[in-house]
Amino acid sequence: MSPLLLSLHPGTTLHDEQGLLTAHHRWGRTTLGPHTPPLAEALHALAAGPTAIHDLAVRLRATARRAGLPPEPQLALLHGSLERLAHSVRRHATTGSRRLATAEPLAPEAAPRRGPAPAPDTPLTLDRAAHLRPVDDRLALESPRSRFRLRLEDPGVATLLALLARPASRAELAGRCGDLTEHALAAVLSLLHSTGFAHPADDAAHDDAAHDGAGHGDAGLPPGWTFHELLAYDGSRAGPRDRPYGPVFPLRATEPPAPPVAPPPDGRVIPLSRPDLDRVAREDRPFTDVLESRTSRRAYGEHPLTIEQLAEFLYRAARVRTLLGARPEDDRPYAITSRPYPSAGSAYELELYAAVHRCHGLDRGLYHYDPLGHTLTALPGAPEAVDRLLREAAAATGGAPPPDVHLTLVSRVKRLSWKYAAHAYALTLKNTGVLLQTLCLVATAMGLSGCPVGGGDSETPVRAFHLAPHTEIPVGAFLLGSAPTPR
């Protein structure tokens, strides 16, 4: 038996539609050409299970002769059909009756690399973005640079992948993969190469040189990218289509949506004053002036921020303006709010936690902002928790002095993942950018110093505010204070 077999993805069906052979598959339908008995029989054989292309060709020739058709045009039709169905053709590396690995296409644009399989003496190396993870009780090889998933059906293939962490020739691999015959090894390497999981070492060396010889562990990736960023980017787009994506409500059947506004934590509640927005509208600087003069300010005034200024700042930037109930008849089975900044799906998953360093009318300490009640709740926490957040702010802003108030943006990410599959985290980062810009503009309009912060150790706010891991995730920070007196 040939060590490389093909099959159509389960669920692919073939139909005679007005004399044309048409395949119905995960991505829609593909018209393949005239419905002839040899072509139909060959593709039905692939739909039934893994088959060697050589065996398929032999059967097709025999069927063509019986039907009184010249075999070669039928073979050309078969090869053309397989190219058009590349997104629905699985490839299997085998040895005897033992299946070694299966490459499964994950997107409509999936197509194997063109050209011949790598020569026997061409050293290969694993793609630098490739990674293994369990999928359906099997280890699977994936990469954001491939539109295939390679399922490992035999432990010997994992050994081969480990050896390909560095360039290795086929002869070297054969000497260390004694469990794989020469033909089986060739089939797996061909599978890895054709689906973009392995590259000739010369290509990888060229990629490394493009990174200027920095010797980073991410050499071999597109310049400027790290493995984790590439993986996050690919995971936040449609990308591999075998997973739910978009507003498909993946948690709808298993749990209720998170409330539109987080219940305030237990603690002493500090009511905040509400500014007169009519007065603000009359006295504010023009929007273009605010936009053009916005800049990150890391210097603060001699006198601290006041609680009235903090109250106005939070009210103008982040309060709940309206609260609306669920409307299942409009495909909105969850309650929403309206706030001064936009949010994906009106989820408004972002919470504001404050570490107050100095604020006239407010004790130094930790607080949570309730955007519905427009109040602060005092949280338990040692003074050291405020100090740690301020130290991180100083490190992220080039050693700038501590702000009056350090705001941490925290995502209740299930508000998004209850509705959106595959890209809830990407959406919360976009929402974070929107809120940070709103905070910047309000600070500028009020004549305060403000600076967004994108980095930091996630564990510091998790410990400081006693956040639930993976449920309440820190995604950004904003530094606020009084402005220094102009000289």
Side-chain angles (χ1 to χ4, degrees), residues 8 27 50 180 256 429 485:
L8 291 180
W27 324 119
L180 299 179
L429 294 182
T485 305

Side-chain angles (χ1 to χ4, degrees), residues 131-150:
H131 55 281
L132 284 168
R133 70 181 184 96
V135 176
D136 298 333
D137 299 326
R138 287 259 196 279
L139 269 183
L141 184 67
E142 296 179 345
S143 169
R145 300 203 290 179
S146 173
R147 284 295 172 256
F148 290 85
R149 175 182 294 128
L150 192 81

Side-chain angles (χ1 to χ4, degrees), residues 376-416:
L376 290 173
T377 301
L379 303 174
E384 291 77 16
V386 176
D387 295 337
R388 281 193 292 270
L389 287 165
L390 296 177
R391 281 197 299 271
E392 283 203 1
T397 52
D404 294 344
V405 175
H406 177 293
L407 293 171
T408 299
L409 282 62
V410 173
S411 172
R412 295 186 297 135
V413 71
K414 271 198 176 181
R415 272 290 290 175
L416 285 167

Side-chain angles (χ1 to χ4, degrees), residues 15-29:
H15 306 269
D16 182 350
E17 297 184 355
Q18 299 180 335
L20 297 175
L21 186 59
T22 303
H24 292 234
H25 44 72
R26 291 177 294 172
W27 324 119
R29 64 169 67 186

